[in-house]
Amino acid sequence: MLDMKAEPVFSRDGGFWQPHVEATGPFRGLHGGAVSGLVAAVMEERAREEGWGIPLAVSVLILRPAPLERLETRIEVLRAGGRTAMLESSLVAGDKLIAKGTGAFVKPISLPEVARVAAAPMPADPTALPAWAARGPQTRTTFFDALDIRDDGKGVKWGRMKRPMVPFDAPFANLFAFADNGTPYWLSGTEFWPPPWGFPNIDVTVHASRAPVGAWVGVEPTSDWRADGMGLTDSRLYDEAGPLGRACQTVVLTPV
């Protein structure tokens, strides 16, 4: 259960952010889900303050590993008018650009004639599902320690944050925490687990058809990988109200 009073994965320090050890990943630097989540969160906060609507598409390029040290985010407004707003967010460590994201925000209107009913795939009680066993024993604290991940045994992993990503409400940013894990979710069900190579993603893009509902996020991943060391992970996203959107990641396979 998310406790908003718990210390967030990233603490705010004026115009800067201090990542905690729970932001680290299995490879060098911070976890991609934490990095992309922070990049999305600051855009989400700005759009909420300005009344620019809800995020429907956020894409983040991860340029280099983010260090476990003070980080800075910078926002540029690309467009703000009518029903849509476009923002750009940069994550910087010292003089190095770590990640850059773009976000599209839309103000909702009422169109009841196009409403449709979709069956919610979420189990009645995700807490009754077993924990994702493939994670295995850990020798150090990582971003996975901030996540509660459950396995329905049918190809969908359900997760919720144990602590907030940032010290304010950022439901769309939380999607990145789980969408970024599409590759290990998929790999854990193949003969390649544990994998003989690294599989960092250089980007992650989330598209949604509406605002997220509830704490639980479902990820149903598929991957298309090639013998030249390149691949794509494409995940269907769900939440407590049913189908939510898609997430895509460009994967670069690297020898261990």
Side-chain angles (χ1 to χ4, degrees):
M1 186 73 174
L2 175 62
D3 179 6
M4 287 301 295
K5 295 181 180 179
E7 192 169 35
V9 175
F10 293 95
S11 293
R12 182 174 255 156
D13 178 16
F16 296 87
W17 299 92
Q18 181 61 52
H20 295 271
V21 67
E22 287 83 2
T24 56
F27 309 117
R28 286 193 304 141
L30 305 187
H31 192 284
V35 170
S36 55
L38 177 59
V39 170
V42 294
M43 290 190 286
E44 195 170 1
E45 181 186 39
R46 176 67 181 277
R48 183 184 300 118
E49 291 173 346
E50 301 289 349
W52 287 334
I54 62 174
L56 291 186
V58 174
S59 182
V60 179
L61 286 173
I62 302 173
L63 306 177
R64 52 177 53 86
L68 186 64
E69 61 185 51
R70 194 170 73 155
L71 304 170
E72 182 183 4
T73 51
R74 302 168 184 170
I75 294 180
E76 181 178 353
V77 180
L78 304 179
R79 168 192 164 87
R83 288 186 61 202
T84 62
M86 312 292 183
L87 306 181
E88 182 177 85
S89 174
S90 300
L91 181 66
V92 179
D95 60 353
K96 292 185 177 180
L97 179 62
I98 301 298
K100 182 179 284 288
T102 55
F105 297 79
V106 179
K107 295 178 182 178
I109 61 174
S110 178
L111 290 176
E113 64 272 21
V114 298
R116 63 178 182 174
V117 177
M122 192 187 77
D125 181 13
T127 60
L129 295 174
W132 180 44
R135 182 196 170 196
Q138 302 296 301
T139 58
R140 63 186 179 89
T141 299
T142 69
F143 190 52
F144 288 107
D145 290 284
L147 311 178
D148 177 7
I149 303 174
R150 308 300 178 101
D151 190 349
D152 76 350
K154 301 176 183 179
V156 180
K157 306 297 186 290
W158 287 94
R160 60 181 176 179
M161 301 291 296
K162 292 181 179 178
R163 61 174 64 198
M165 181 82 72
V166 288
F168 53 83
D169 190 35
F172 201 89
N174 290 344
L175 296 179
F176 282 87
F178 302 99
D180 189 79
N181 289 321
T183 295
Y185 289 168
W186 175 78
L187 269 175
S188 65
T190 73
E191 70 272 25
F192 299 118
W193 191 265
W197 5 254
F199 46 88
N201 53 292
I202 59 175
D203 70 347
V204 56
T205 298
V206 173
H207 289 271
S209 59
R210 54 176 171 78
V213 175
W216 289 97
V217 177
V219 179
E220 183 179 16
T222 59
S223 287
D224 179 17
W225 291 7
R226 305 295 171 170
D228 56 7
M230 304 178 192
L232 172 71
T233 295
D234 176 19
S235 303
R236 294 180 181 272
L237 301 180
Y238 306 92
D239 65 6
E240 297 180 20
L244 175 63
R246 300 294 280 263
C248 284
Q249 301 164 269
T250 304
V251 180
V252 180
L253 301 178
T254 58
V256 173

